[in-house]
Amino acid sequence: MASESESTDLRHSLGNFEEALRESRSLVIKMGSLAQQNLTNAMNGLLQRDEDLCNDAIAEDEEVNAIERSIDQGGMEILMRFNPVATDLRSVLAAMKIANNIERISDQAENIARRARKILKKKEVEDIRLIEPIYDAATAMLQDAAKAYAESDTELALTLFERDKHLNKLHRKAIKHYTQAMEADTENIKTYLHLIFIVRCLERIGDHSVNICEEAVYITHGTSIKHVGPSALES
Amino acid sequence: MSKQDKKSKEPKPKATERIDTSSDGARHLNEALLDVQKLSFSYDMGKTDTLKKISLEIPKQKVTAFIGPSGCGKSTLLRCFNRMNDTIPTARITHGNVKIMGADIYGPKVDPIRLRKQVGMVFQKSNPFPKSIYENVAFGLRIAGERKKSVLDEAVEKSLKGAALWDEVKDRLGESALGLSGGQQQRLCIARTIAVEPEVILMDEPCSALDPIATAVVEELITKLREDFTVVIVTHNMQQATRVSDHTAFFYLGELIEYDTTQQLFTNPSIKQTEDYISGRFG
C-alpha cells in the first residue's frame, strides 16, 4: 500500500463545486447564528418583559425558513451536478439535515416568543426565574453545536450527549415545579401552563443541538452515532 | 443431454482442473476467486515495474471495479488476469503471482488459450467478428470443437438472453453483427464471452464508447452477470463504479492504494489519496 498523501487542502478540480460546498457551509453557519439570535430575543423578551424582542424573534423566523430552502435547493443542485462522494457527500447530506434541525430550533424560538407575549399580558410570577438555568444550558448547547460544526470539533460535539441529560433533568424538575405551582396559584394557571410549554421548547432545542452534533461527527468520521452515542466511534 | 443442460445439473468443473494444475483450488471456492499476491509487472524486461507488489483478492460472483487515473496500471493488472500481456515480447511478471481458485495462472502447465476461455474479456470498443450474430456467439464453442447444431442453438439463445440481447435479435440471427448498434454490439461481445461459460469476465471500460441509454443497459447487465460470473471492470467513470460494483480498488502509479467495499470506499475512504482522487481533488 502507498503511504497517505501529505497534501491537506487540495482544491477540487471543478471550481464551481468548491464554491457551492463553501456556500452551503456558510449558509448553515449563518442560519445557526440567526436561530441563536431568535432564541436570545425570545427569551430576553420573556425575562425582560420586552414585547418588541418577542416580535423580532417571530418575524426573523421567516428569514431562517428562507435560508433552509436555499440550503436544500443548493444541496439538491450539488448532488445533481457534481455527484459528490466521501467527505463531500457527507457534508452535503449533513448540511441539509443540520439546516432542518436549525429550522426546528428557530420554530421553537418562535413558539417561546408567542407564549412570552401572552405571559407579558399577565402579572409577573416570581418563579419565572427558574427557567433561566434551563435557557442557559440550552443556549450553550446550541452555541457549541454550531461551533462543533463550523470548526469540525468532534471533542466538543461529544460533550453534548451528557449535557443533554443534564438539561433533561432540569426540564423534569421545572415541569414538576410549575405543575405544583398551577395547583397552588390558580390565579396564574395560564402563565404556568405557558411556562411549561416554554421549558419543553428549550428541552427540544437541546435535542436538536445533539442532532446537529451527530451530523458534525458524521462529516468528520463517516460514522453515524445516532441512537448509539459516542460509543459508536469506539467500534 | 446438451452441454447447457449438463452445466445446470452437474457441478461446474473446478478451475484447478480446467487449467491443468495441481493446486488446492477447492479450498478457496467460497473465498477469493482470484488471488493476487505481491504482483509486480514490467513492460520493459524488468527495468521498471508498472505494477508494484499488488496484493488483492477478487471475491467470487461479485463485481469488482478498478479505478484510478490514466497510467495507474489498472488495465495492465486486468490483462494480467488472462495473460493478455503475454503477447508483448518484453512484458514480464517480475514478482508475485496470480491464482485463480488457488491455481497459479502463470504456472508452467497453464495454456494461455485455455485460460482465456475461463477468464473472458470485453473491451472498450466492441469488436464483433464480420460474421452473423449467431456465428459471433457460437464462435468460441466451435473453436472448442462443438459441432452439434442443437447444442450450438441452445448455447446461442442462452448467451444472448444472458446478455439481454435475445429479444432484439432473435428474428435476425443470420444477419451481420456489424449492422447492430454500438450498445447491441457490446452486448453481443458479452454474449460471445459468456457462451464459453467463463469463471471470470474482465471488462476494460466497456461503456466508454456507448451513449447513456446503451450504458444503462450494459450496466444493468453487469449487475445481472454477477449471479453467474465474477466480474472485474476497469472504469474511468466513478459513478459507474458506484452503480455496478460491490468492491472497488483504487490504483495510483502502479500501486494499490485502497481496496474496500464500494459503499465504504465512496462514502468514507480510509486513505486521503483515495478521497482526493474520488472527490476530484487529485493534485
Side-chain angles (χ1 to χ4, degrees):
Chain A
M1 288 271 178
S3 62
E4 277 191 36
S5 165
E6 292 299 316
S7 56
T8 52
D9 192 25
L10 288 172
R11 285 180 59 80
H12 195 277
S13 51
L14 295 169
N16 290 342
F17 180 39
E18 199 75 50
E19 184 56 38
L21 285 175
R22 229 187 349 256
E23 171 76 6
S24 164
R25 187 178 175 78
S26 66
L27 275 176
V28 172
I29 292 169
K30 182 182 173 189
M31 191 183 174
S33 136
L34 268 176
Q36 176 74 53
Q37 188 56 52
N38 289 350
L39 176 62
T40 305
N41 284 343
M43 286 304 295
N44 283 345
L46 171 71
L47 297 169
Q48 295 166 15
R49 298 188 72 79
D50 184 337
E51 194 172 351
D52 288 345
L53 287 176
C54 294
N55 291 338
D56 284 350
I58 294 164
E60 286 301 313
D61 184 53
E62 197 39 58
E63 172 73 6
V64 173
N65 293 344
I67 297 178
E68 189 200 14
R69 284 193 295 272
S70 293
I71 291 169
D72 280 353
Q73 198 181 337
M76 289 289 284
E77 202 164 322
I78 291 172
L79 292 173
M80 180 194 75
R81 285 184 191 279
F82 304 110
N83 296 297
V85 293
T87 307
D88 296 336
L89 176 60
R90 301 200 301 271
S91 299
V92 175
L93 294 178
M96 292 164 86
K97 289 184 185 176
I98 289 174
N100 178 254
N101 276 285
I102 296 174
E103 191 273 330
R104 300 295 301 278
I105 287 171
S106 187
D107 281 350
Q108 301 292 357
E110 187 195 349
N111 288 342
I112 292 171
R114 288 189 187 281
R115 289 189 184 276
R117 279 201 309 203
K118 287 176 183 161
I119 290 173
L120 298 189
K121 291 191 173 75
K122 312 264 180 200
K123 191 181 79 177
E124 186 171 11
V125 294
E126 203 175 297
D127 43 9
I128 193 171
R129 295 287 156 192
L130 190 69
I131 216 165
E132 280 186 81
I134 304 171
Y135 166 52
D136 290 343
T139 196
M141 283 176 72
L142 174 56
Q143 272 169 4
D144 285 347
K147 194 175 173 202
Y149 168 70
E151 297 175 9
S152 307
D153 187 340
T154 301
E155 208 175 317
L156 179 63
L158 296 180
T159 64
L160 262 77
F161 288 85
E162 279 305 312
R163 288 160 68 184
D164 190 43
K165 286 179 191 162
H166 174 64
L167 177 63
N168 292 345
K169 216 178 272 178
L170 292 176
H171 161 251
R172 283 195 296 273
K173 201 170 144 191
I175 298 284
K176 192 175 172 187
H177 176 89
Y178 288 136
T179 310
Q180 285 168 348
M182 280 165 78
E183 289 167 9
D185 182 5
T186 49
E187 195 188 328
N188 291 311
I189 198 162
K190 280 190 177 171
T191 298
Y192 285 120
L193 197 59
H194 287 309
L195 285 173
I196 285 174
F197 277 111
I198 290 172
V199 170
R200 171 79 181 144
C201 288
L202 292 170
E203 189 272 333
R204 291 297 299 141
I205 287 171
D207 291 342
H208 288 301
S209 302
V210 170
N211 292 348
I212 292 170
C213 286
E214 287 171 347
E215 297 301 333
V217 170
Y218 179 65
I219 295 172
T220 309
H221 297 273
T223 304
S224 175
I225 59 170
K226 277 183 186 176
H227 313 299
V228 182
S231 63
L233 280 185
E234 290 157 22
S235 60
Chain B
M1 190 184 287
S2 72
K3 187 178 177 185
Q4 296 291 315
D5 286 335
K6 274 183 189 170
K7 182 181 179 283
S8 60
K9 287 175 184 172
E10 291 173 10
K12 210 170 187 175
K14 290 185 180 66
T16 47
E17 295 158 8
R18 297 171 72 190
I19 61 173
D20 299 326
T21 70
S22 54
S23 299
D24 57 345
R27 189 157 62 87
H28 299 272
L29 269 174
N30 297 319
E31 300 164 9
L33 188 90
L34 277 166
D35 186 6
V36 185
Q37 285 302 324
K38 294 186 177 170
L39 185 76
S40 296
F41 174 86
S42 168
Y43 278 114
D44 53 8
M45 311 276 279
K47 283 180 204 155
T48 50
D49 280 345
T50 301
L51 296 177
K52 297 163 189 165
K53 295 198 173 169
I54 306 284
S55 291
L56 84 165
E57 295 185 344
I58 308 281
K60 189 178 169 76
Q61 283 175 280
K62 299 279 181 197
V63 179
T64 302
F66 287 177
I67 61 167
S70 297
C72 69
K74 54 194 188 298
S75 291
T76 300
L77 179 61
L78 196 76
R79 287 197 301 268
C80 284
F81 292 164
N82 68 348
R83 295 184 54 167
M84 287 284 283
N85 294 317
D86 287 14
T87 55
I88 304 165
T90 55
R92 298 278 184 282
I93 297 286
T94 55
H95 192 272
N97 57 54
V98 180
K99 289 180 178 174
I100 180 161
M101 297 163 88
D104 187 352
I105 66 168
Y106 286 89
K109 292 180 183 172
V110 176
D111 172 7
I113 307 293
R114 293 190 69 188
L115 172 70
R116 284 171 207 146
K117 269 189 220 156
Q118 203 178 343
V119 186
M121 191 154 190
V122 177
F123 297 87
Q124 186 173 358
K125 201 161 178 284
S126 55
N127 52 354
F129 303 135
K131 291 171 178 283
S132 69
I133 294 167
Y134 182 98
E135 286 305 325
N136 262 275
V137 182
F139 189 82
L141 294 170
R142 284 202 199 281
I143 294 288
E146 186 57 65
R147 291 287 175 266
K148 276 191 188 165
K149 191 172 180 310
S150 60
V151 174
L152 290 173
D153 284 353
E154 203 170 333
V156 167
E157 181 176 341
K158 188 182 174 191
S159 304
L160 286 169
K161 280 180 176 168
L165 190 60
W166 175 251
D167 289 340
E168 293 162 54
V169 302
K170 63 183 175 191
D171 300 323
R172 48 179 174 137
L173 294 174
E175 291 177 21
S176 169
L178 301 178
L180 297 173
S181 71
Q184 288 173 325
Q185 286 189 9
Q186 193 62 305
R187 279 181 284 146
L188 180 69
C189 293
I190 293 171
R192 191 174 64 195
T193 304
I194 63 179
V196 294
E197 299 172 4
E199 290 284 347
V200 185
I201 302 174
L202 308 175
M203 295 184 162
D204 196 352
E205 297 187 54
C207 302
S208 61
L210 305 183
D211 68 35
I213 304 291
T215 296
V217 174
V218 172
E219 283 183 0
E220 199 181 336
L221 174 58
I222 292 169
T223 57
K224 259 201 208 156
L225 288 172
R226 169 174 46 188
E227 291 167 17
D228 296 308
F229 307 98
T230 300
V231 180
V232 187
I233 177 172
V234 163
T235 178
H236 271 126
N237 181 337
M238 281 179 284
Q239 276 71 52
Q240 180 170 71
T242 60
R243 284 192 295 266
V244 304
S245 70
D246 302 293
H247 296 85
T248 299
F250 167 58
F251 296 88
Y252 184 57
L253 296 177
E255 290 186 72
L256 174 63
I257 306 297
E258 188 165 355
Y259 180 42
D260 211 327
T261 62
T262 298
Q263 202 266 343
Q264 182 70 17
L265 193 131
F266 280 96
T267 57
N268 194 15
S270 53
I271 309 282
K272 189 172 184 311
Q273 233 172 334
T274 313
E275 167 125 14
D276 288 343
Y277 178 72
I278 62 173
S279 58
R281 288 188 175 77
F282 220 68

